[in-house]
Amino acid sequence: MYLADEAWPDLEAYFESETLAIVPLGSTEQHGPHLPLATDHLIAEAFATEVAERTGYLRTPTVTIGVSPHHRQFPGTAWVDPPAFRDYVESFVRNLTYHGIDRVVFVNAHGGNVQHLREVGRRLRDDDVAYAIEWMWDESIPDLVDEAFARNGPHAGPKETALIQHLRPELVHDDRFAEARDGGAPNPEESVRVRNGAATFYDAVENSDNGAFGDQTDANAETGAELFDAASDQLEELCEWLAARDWDELRAPERVSREG
C-alpha cells in the first residue's frame, strides 16, 4: 500500500489494524559518469515498493535528498545539512505516530544517511514513541554481493550498476562502463587515502576522479535481478519480524542495577 495513492478512509482502516510503516530514503548525488543522480533513491524506493506489495504494509513517499556534501564537487549533487536531515526525518516519523504507527523500517540506500538515521531511531526510542531501524540492501546479503563481483566498490560500483540495469536500464550509460572504471577507483582498497590509521580525506573526489569505485564492466541486469530478489526477501522477513514484536520488547532497557 502506497500512502500517497490512498484516500483517507482507506488509510484509516490501515491504521486501525497495522502499526508498521516502510520509509524509503536515498540521495540525489553523482554516481559516476554512467549512472543517474537518482540511483540511491530509485533503489530504496524499488525495495520499499516490492516489499510493501508483498506484505501489504504501508509505504510512504521517498525522501530523495540526503546527506551528500562529500559529493558536492560533481555538478548536480544535492544535499541537506545533517541536523536538518535528522530533524526532518524525525518530524516525519512523529507524524506517522500520530496516526498510530509505532514501528518504522528506514529502507535506506545511501551510506551518508546511516549514522543520522541511527541517531533518529535512538531519539524516537528514548522518547518511547517509535522503534525505527535502518536497513541497507547490500548489508542484508553481504556474501552474495561479494561473490557476484570480482572488484566491487562502495559507491557507483558494479553492485549499484547491476541494480539500476535491472530496475531502470534506460538510465544507464552502458557505453561508459570502461570510462567509469578506468577514470575512477577500480581497486577501492588501494585508492582510499589513509595515513597512520587516519582517513585523510573528506570528499569522494579525493579518492576517485570521476566519483566511481570498482569495476563497472562486471555488472549486468541478470545479476542485479538476483540481488534484488534476495535482498527483498531479507527486507520482507525484517518487516514481518518487527510487526510481530510486542511493544515492550522494543522499548529501551531499564538502567542496570547491581541489585538484580
Side-chain angles (χ1 to χ4, degrees):
M1 174 182 285
Y2 177 46
L3 185 148
D5 282 349
E6 302 297 326
W8 71 259
D10 305 303
L11 290 168
E12 183 179 37
Y14 180 86
F15 293 132
E16 287 175 350
S17 61
E18 301 288 353
T19 60
L20 185 140
I22 301 170
V23 179
L25 308 96
S27 68
T28 300
E29 63 181 25
Q30 74 83 17
H31 273 77
H34 62 300
L35 292 179
L37 271 65
T39 290
D40 286 346
H41 72 251
L42 290 175
I43 290 172
E45 187 167 284
F47 278 116
T49 299
E50 173 70 16
V51 172
E53 291 176 352
R54 290 187 187 187
T55 62
Y57 292 126
L58 185 70
R59 172 177 74 86
T60 73
T62 304
V63 178
T64 60
I65 307 293
V67 182
S68 304
H70 49 296
H71 293 293
R72 68 188 188 279
Q73 288 87 355
F74 296 91
T77 290
W79 71 91
V80 293
D81 292 332
F85 177 80
R86 292 192 296 266
D87 288 347
Y88 178 88
V89 175
E90 180 180 353
S91 180
F92 181 27
V93 174
R94 287 181 183 273
N95 154 233
L96 293 172
T97 67
Y98 176 84
H99 295 295
I101 297 298
D102 63 14
R103 55 206 75 193
V104 168
V105 177
F106 292 131
V107 177
N108 173 46
H110 173 50
N113 294 341
V114 173
Q115 63 179 313
H116 308 294
L117 294 174
R118 290 285 297 169
E119 172 61 24
V120 169
R122 175 173 286 282
R123 291 182 191 177
L124 293 165
R125 188 173 78 151
D126 285 352
D127 287 349
D128 202 38
V129 295
Y131 187 84
I133 50 178
E134 184 267 346
W135 178 88
M136 283 191 76
W137 73 273
D138 54 327
E139 296 293 334
S140 75
I141 51 169
D143 293 340
L144 285 178
V145 173
D146 286 343
E147 293 167 4
F149 310 107
R151 287 191 289 177
N152 216 328
H155 181 78
K159 63 185 179 185
E160 289 184 321
T161 301
L163 273 192
I164 297 299
Q165 284 177 301
H166 166 58
L167 298 170
R168 295 292 302 274
E170 75 278 10
L171 299 180
V172 180
H173 297 276
D174 302 74
D175 58 330
R176 299 178 185 172
F177 284 1
E179 174 190 348
R181 177 196 63 199
D182 299 339
N187 298 298
E189 65 280 359
E190 298 174 6
S191 67
V192 175
R193 290 168 40 179
V194 176
R195 181 179 295 276
N196 302 105
T200 57
F201 66 92
Y202 284 96
D203 296 322
V205 72
E206 295 179 87
N207 293 317
S208 172
D209 290 341
N210 68 11
F213 295 80
D215 184 358
Q216 294 72 20
T217 66
D218 204 16
N220 59 76
E222 292 73 24
T223 300
E226 293 172 6
L227 296 177
F228 182 79
D229 289 342
S232 294
D233 290 344
Q234 293 294 313
L235 178 57
E236 180 180 3
E237 290 182 18
L238 175 64
C239 289
E240 297 290 14
W241 172 85
L242 183 56
R245 303 277 67 76
D246 183 84
W247 178 246
D248 285 339
E249 295 180 60
L250 303 175
R251 284 195 163 105
E254 296 293 332
R255 188 165 65 95
V256 173
S257 169
R258 291 183 64 186
E259 300 293 319

